[in-house]
């Protein structure tokens, strides 16, 4: 059984360090809250005592292979199954969707917008007041969120020639974006994730006492 972090001190957030935008997420977490502890997750022991976990973007097949090779897969599955705070960006979101590790009750289509050269930056329109009206979304060989169940809350959309598309979602303690908020200096999405992790930790510590 995965142990929770019983330390009431600063939040400990893990960043899966297999491939992709790992350092960028570490920087974004620091910008969002200087006081948090960051753990690079590469082996099962690294997942102990975390309050939240980020699955970065990169290449989802490579990340999956490395996760399986490092014996992390059952630990991550247990983490997600327990509903612990998890933030998946781009490839990270792909891993949290069906038929991969799961977590989100949704399907995604990989490389929806085309190849690397079809990557783009556009305005992400937020649905949730506390996130502010909008942010800059960096989409790099991004997936598109396809079917979502009513368990999934869309948090943001973009206007696309194919129509408005959902690009950020929440389901309980899971947060996912098809874009890369860690590649901008705007801490909005990481702050929102830290809020989820903080609330989860508070609740878990209270239940524990
Ligand atoms: N920026 C990204 O994470 C791209 C995801 C990548 N195209 C994949 O399918 O894995």
């Amino acid at each position: 059984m995965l142990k929770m972090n019983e330390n009431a001190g600063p939040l400990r957030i893990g960043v899966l360090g297999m491939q992709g935008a790992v350092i960028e997420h570490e920087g974004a977490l620091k910008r969002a809250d200087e006081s948090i502890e960051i753990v690079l997750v590469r082996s099962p022991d690294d997942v102990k005592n975390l309050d939240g976990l980020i699955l970065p973007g990169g290449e989802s097949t490579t990340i999956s292979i490395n996760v399986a090779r490092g014996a992390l897969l059952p630990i991550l599955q247990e983490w997600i199954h327990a509903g612990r705070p998890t933030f998946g960006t781009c490839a990270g979101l792909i891993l949290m969707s069906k038929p991969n590790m799961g977590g989100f009750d949704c399907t995604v289509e990989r490389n929806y917008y085309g190849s690397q050269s079809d990557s783009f930056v556009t305005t992400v329109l937020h649905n949730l007041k506390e996130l502010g009206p909008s942010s800059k979304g960096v989409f790099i060989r991004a997936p598109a969120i396809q079917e979502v169940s009513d368990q999934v809350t869309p948090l943001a959309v973009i206007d696309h020639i194919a129509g408005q598309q959902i690009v950020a979602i929440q389901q309980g303690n899971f947060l996912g974006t098809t874009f890369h908020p860690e590649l901008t200096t705007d801490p909005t999405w990481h702050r929102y994730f830290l809020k989820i992790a903080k609330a989860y930790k508070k609740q878990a510590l209270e239940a524990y006492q």
Side-chain angles (χ1 to χ4, degrees):
M1 242 305 256
L2 269 175
K3 262 182 73 205
M4 66 163 288
N5 183 12
E6 290 159 37
N7 185 344
L11 283 179
R12 269 169 69 86
I13 304 294
V15 180
L16 182 66
M18 291 301 174
Q19 189 264 339
V22 179
I23 299 169
E24 290 80 356
H25 269 295
E26 292 178 347
L29 281 168
K30 281 282 168 208
R31 279 196 295 278
D33 182 347
E34 186 64 38
S35 72
I36 66 161
E37 233 180 284
I38 299 172
V39 178
L40 188 64
V41 172
R42 289 207 166 127
S43 67
D45 274 357
D46 301 330
V47 186
K48 281 183 193 155
N49 298 322
L50 292 181
D51 299 307
L53 178 64
I54 292 186
L55 306 181
E59 214 286 314
S60 52
T61 311
T62 309
I63 297 174
S64 300
I65 291 170
N66 290 346
V67 160
R69 197 175 283 156
L72 261 172
L73 187 59
I75 305 287
L76 295 187
Q77 281 168 330
E78 187 184 342
W79 175 275
I80 285 181
H81 189 73
R84 305 262 179 120
T86 316
F87 182 13
T89 56
C90 205
L93 168 64
I94 295 172
L95 296 180
M96 291 173 75
S97 306
K98 293 175 180 171
N100 301 314
M101 270 186 331
F104 280 117
D105 202 8
C106 77
T107 57
V108 298
E109 186 178 326
R110 288 179 66 187
N111 305 326
Y112 175 85
Y113 304 96
S115 65
Q116 194 78 10
S117 57
D118 299 309
S119 299
F120 59 95
V121 177
T122 193
T123 305
V124 169
L125 306 162
H126 303 165
N127 294 338
L128 192 67
K129 214 170 178 189
E130 69 171 282
L131 295 171
S134 65
S135 57
K136 191 166 93 174
V138 181
F139 294 79
I140 304 171
R141 284 188 81 202
I145 296 165
Q146 302 290 33
E147 287 151 49
V148 293
S149 83
D150 55 7
Q151 303 298 305
V152 176
T153 307
L155 294 183
V157 295
I158 56 168
D159 284 320
H160 185 254
I161 30 170
Q164 224 173 41
Q165 289 174 335
I166 300 169
V167 293
I169 51 177
Q170 182 173 0
Q171 182 171 354
N173 295 313
F174 301 147
L175 180 65
T177 61
T178 62
F179 55 96
H180 287 264
E182 77 285 4
L183 297 184
T184 70
T185 51
D186 180 351
T188 302
W189 289 96
H190 287 78
R191 281 211 180 120
Y192 187 64
F193 177 59
L194 293 179
K195 188 183 158 193
I196 294 172
K198 213 172 275 176
Y200 177 85
K201 178 172 181 154
K202 187 167 175 276
Q203 209 179 32
L205 281 174
E206 280 165 6
Y208 201 71
Q209 277 154 10

